[in-house]
Amino acid sequence: MDTINRVRIEVNGARFVISSQKDQKYIKELGAQINSDVKELMDSGRNITFNEALTLSALNYLDAYKESERNADHLRGQINAYLEDAGRARIEADEAKREIARLRRELELARRAQGDPMGEKSHE
């Protein structure tokens, strides 16, 4: 069973207790980043309240998350296309190998039919 960690963070003087299975150090790092973002917004001189700063921070994080998801979906699509291309190339290579083997057999038969000594013991 996973342990639930209770971590105290502070954002612009407001204290929060976060319950999470994630590492305490990680949660504190997240809290410090949010605190930094909120402070930056509130110190920007635009007369922003704490709730507005939290909301703007949440919107910024959600936007970054959504953009990351779009990028990940795009990368998954590219990887799938590359895998399909590689699969087609592998099939084409196998077909080419079979064709080469068939042509070698035909060449050997043709040499034998002409009495070519190379056709009898070909070491290609």
Side-chain angles (χ1 to χ4, degrees), residues 46-115:
R46 293 186 280 171
N47 201 19
I48 293 176
T49 67
F50 177 61
N51 285 339
E52 290 170 334
L54 278 176
T55 301
L56 289 172
S57 292
L59 287 171
N60 287 336
Y61 283 112
L62 187 57
D63 177 52
Y65 168 77
K66 295 283 187 179
E67 187 64 29
S68 294
E69 284 292 309
R70 280 191 293 276
N71 289 339
D73 287 343
H74 179 70
L75 288 173
R76 278 190 284 274
Q78 281 184 318
I79 289 169
N80 285 334
Y82 293 149
L83 289 173
E84 288 172 8
D85 288 347
R88 280 192 294 275
R90 194 173 313 121
I91 289 168
E92 289 172 7
D94 289 344
E95 289 172 357
K97 287 176 186 176
R98 284 192 295 277
E99 181 66 8
I100 289 169
R102 185 187 67 76
L103 291 171
R104 282 187 176 152
R105 285 190 304 274
E106 280 184 27
L107 179 61
E108 188 175 328
L109 289 173
R111 284 181 177 163
R112 284 184 185 166
Q114 293 178 350

Side-chain angles (χ1 to χ4, degrees), residues 19-36:
S19 296
S20 175
Q21 293 178 345
K22 306 236 178 200
D23 182 64
Q24 290 183 13
K25 182 179 177 188
Y26 176 70
I27 299 298
K28 287 183 180 192
E29 288 171 0
L30 294 177
Q33 183 63 53
I34 291 171
N35 186 50
S36 174

